[in-house]
Amino acid sequence: MKTIIKAAAVLAVGGIACAGSAQAEEIIVTPIAEARVRYEHADQEDIAAKADALTVRVRAGAQASSGALSATVVAQGNLAVVDDYFDGLNGAPTRPLVADPQNVAIYIAQLQYKSKGTTLTAGRQKIALDDERFVGNVAFRDNAQTFDAVRAEVAPVKGLKLDVSYVWSVRTIWGVDGNAARQQAVSGDNVLANLSWATPLGMLTGFAYLVDQDEAAVQAFRLSSQTYGARLAGTHAFGKAVKLAWQASHARQSDWHRNPNNYSAEYWLADVALDVKGWKVNAGYEVLGADEGTALTSFQTPLGTNFKFQGWADKFLTTPANGVRDLYLGGGYGAKQIGALSAVTLQATWHRFDSDRFDQHYGNEINLLASAKLHSTVIALRYARYDAKALGSDTDKVWVQFDWAI
């Protein structure tokens, strides 16, 4: 707490000094309100009972701003209306896991100074870097993930940006009742650094992520790691109707701080997508490599938004000891407006999962998505089917979700 207060005070004093006459400007208060209702069903072959979760999440708060300075506070609550599921904390896992435990907490509590080329933020905040593979908000889960941190984003010249955060606590999706391996918060001295440069081929980013999971209950420190790598992501339009997008990434990870393991593992990603008048096709290959096959010596992403990657059935949130190779193909359609519906998305993706070491075929997965906005309501329907071979068990999941925000 003392660290939070100190960091906030330093930012506030520095921001006021930089803002000059900002304190004399009018204070604008903007309300923040969000609501979500979601039904999630899970049927897992190795668990006799099925899971049914109907949850309601509400967030409310406000942002007060004056010139370059702002203060934001948002609280959230998550209620299980139908709780026929294992939430990861309460009860025995006699039903499949749905990682949305009931919770009441402060979601955001930050001070920010923002001017041309510089943004400084201190306090509890969202941090989502690049595609969120390594650092993200985990927004799909009701409680999401935020960071107690100080962050500096500096763009000294056009096309160049430095983004550096020091994080002393990661507020997890498990909420106020989090315990044991699923802590409410994981402390540590984390450093998250990005340096990006806009090139003719796309945004080139070099990154260094020093992850310090300094809680013995969380895998006995075995998720602490240092990751260094680079990413290139770009697009090119061929006229008004055709657009090609690509991304490529490589990283190397090894043990860090108190991690008792001695390991080194690599990450690779190649992805290409083509959009022709709203019709989309994409293909990619992602590798989270292994070292020598010992648990938690494969490439891990404990701070990432892992639901977005390697299938929605969540079979690979923790990378297996022998690593994972994900070959995926997808297609779909998107439209800005269809009748009363806006932001319409239809999507299907097929995954083939194999090990990085040896020749194990873990399984295949199909993901389907239909989403659209009707007036102020975002409606999303999802389906995931995992067909197990050498890892896990056959699993079906269905989601029906409604979101509102002002």
Side-chain angles (χ1 to χ4, degrees):
M1 180 59 71
K2 289 182 180 179
T3 307
I4 298 174
I5 295 171
K6 181 179 178 181
V10 169
L11 178 60
V13 171
I16 291 170
C18 294
S21 61
Q23 58 185 325
E25 297 182 22
E26 179 185 5
I27 297 176
I28 300 173
V29 178
T30 304
I32 298 170
E34 302 175 20
R36 169 188 287 178
V37 175
R38 179 165 67 212
Y39 169 72
E40 181 170 343
H41 171 81
D43 183 358
Q44 191 169 314
E45 187 179 48
D46 59 345
I47 300 178
K50 299 176 176 60
D52 290 287
L54 178 62
T55 58
V56 177
R57 187 197 70 194
V58 176
R59 290 178 181 156
Q63 180 182 83
S65 60
S66 179
L69 294 173
S70 66
T72 305
V73 177
V74 179
Q76 71 175 9
N78 186 45
L79 174 65
V81 179
V82 175
D83 62 354
D84 295 331
Y85 66 99
F86 175 54
D87 67 12
L89 301 174
N90 301 299
T94 55
R95 295 179 185 271
L97 172 67
V98 176
D100 289 325
Q102 297 191 115
N103 183 44
V104 176
I106 297 297
Y107 179 60
I108 299 291
Q110 70 176 44
L111 293 173
Q112 187 174 85
Y113 167 77
K114 189 172 185 178
S115 66
K116 183 178 180 180
T118 302
T119 301
L120 305 175
T121 311
R124 188 162 301 170
Q125 58 190 281
K126 293 188 289 184
I127 301 178
L129 301 178
D130 299 320
D131 59 354
E132 300 191 54
R133 189 51 173 124
F134 304 119
V135 181
N137 181 229
V138 198
F140 181 77
R141 299 275 43 124
D142 283 342
N143 295 320
Q145 174 176 269
T146 55
F147 302 83
D148 290 345
V150 288
R151 182 183 185 186
E153 300 167 80
V154 181
V157 295
K158 184 178 179 180
L160 184 67
K161 181 181 177 182
L162 176 65
D163 188 333
V164 180
S165 300
Y166 167 68
V167 179
W168 59 87
S169 181
V170 179
R171 315 299 297 191
T172 75
I173 66 171
W174 303 112
V176 294
D177 293 328
N179 61 79
R182 293 166 172 154
Q183 296 281 301
Q184 172 189 357
V186 181
S187 60
D189 296 313
N190 304 272
V191 178
L192 315 173
N194 269 10
L195 180 62
S196 57
W197 176 39
T199 74
L201 292 177
M203 187 65 70
L204 178 62
T205 303
F207 53 84
Y209 302 135
L210 309 182
V211 177
D212 180 17
Q213 300 273 279
D214 202 10
E215 300 284 348
V218 182
Q219 303 294 353
F221 312 116
R222 287 178 171 83
L223 292 177
S224 294
S225 64
Q226 51 184 327
T227 302
Y228 304 94
R231 179 176 186 267
L232 177 68
T235 61
H236 182 77
F238 299 91
K240 294 182 178 180
V242 180
K243 184 173 72 173
L244 180 68
W246 59 86
Q247 55 179 318
S249 183
H250 173 253
R252 188 173 182 83
Q253 182 179 96
S254 59
D255 50 286
W256 178 252
H257 198 55
R258 299 174 67 178
N259 192 331
N261 288 328
N262 181 10
Y263 79 99
S264 178
E266 303 209 22
Y267 171 87
W268 297 90
L269 170 69
D271 181 282
V272 63
L274 181 66
D275 185 327
V276 181
K277 294 183 178 180
W279 293 96
K280 308 172 190 293
V281 292
N282 73 291
Y285 190 59
E286 185 183 42
V287 179
L288 279 74
D291 186 21
E292 296 182 355
T294 303
L296 300 178
T297 62
S298 50
F299 199 105
Q300 303 293 331
T301 58
L303 303 187
T305 299
N306 294 340
F307 178 81
K308 292 177 59 178
F309 304 90
Q310 299 179 330
W312 299 335
D314 284 346
K315 297 300 181 179
F316 301 95
L317 296 181
T318 298
T319 307
N322 287 322
V324 59
R325 295 172 177 254
D326 177 14
L327 172 66
Y328 57 90
L329 304 170
Y333 179 74
K336 292 182 178 179
Q337 197 77 36
I338 300 180
L341 301 176
S342 61
V344 177
T345 297
L346 300 174
Q347 176 184 312
T349 305
W350 171 84
H351 296 264
R352 177 189 169 94
F353 300 112
D354 296 287
S355 64
D356 182 51
R357 295 177 74 247
F358 306 128
D359 187 22
Q360 296 176 300
H361 177 36
Y362 290 146
N364 303 316
E365 183 168 331
I366 184 75
N367 296 153
L368 304 176
L369 168 67
S371 67
K373 187 174 183 179
L374 178 62
H375 305 301
S376 59
T377 304
V378 178
I379 306 167
L381 309 176
R382 293 177 187 260
Y383 171 73
R385 164 66 182 177
Y386 178 74
D387 180 18
K389 302 300 181 183
L391 184 144
S393 58
D394 292 350
T395 300
D396 290 275
K397 291 188 176 185
V398 177
W399 298 265
V400 182
Q401 181 172 315
F402 300 88
D403 285 279
W404 299 268
I406 63 169

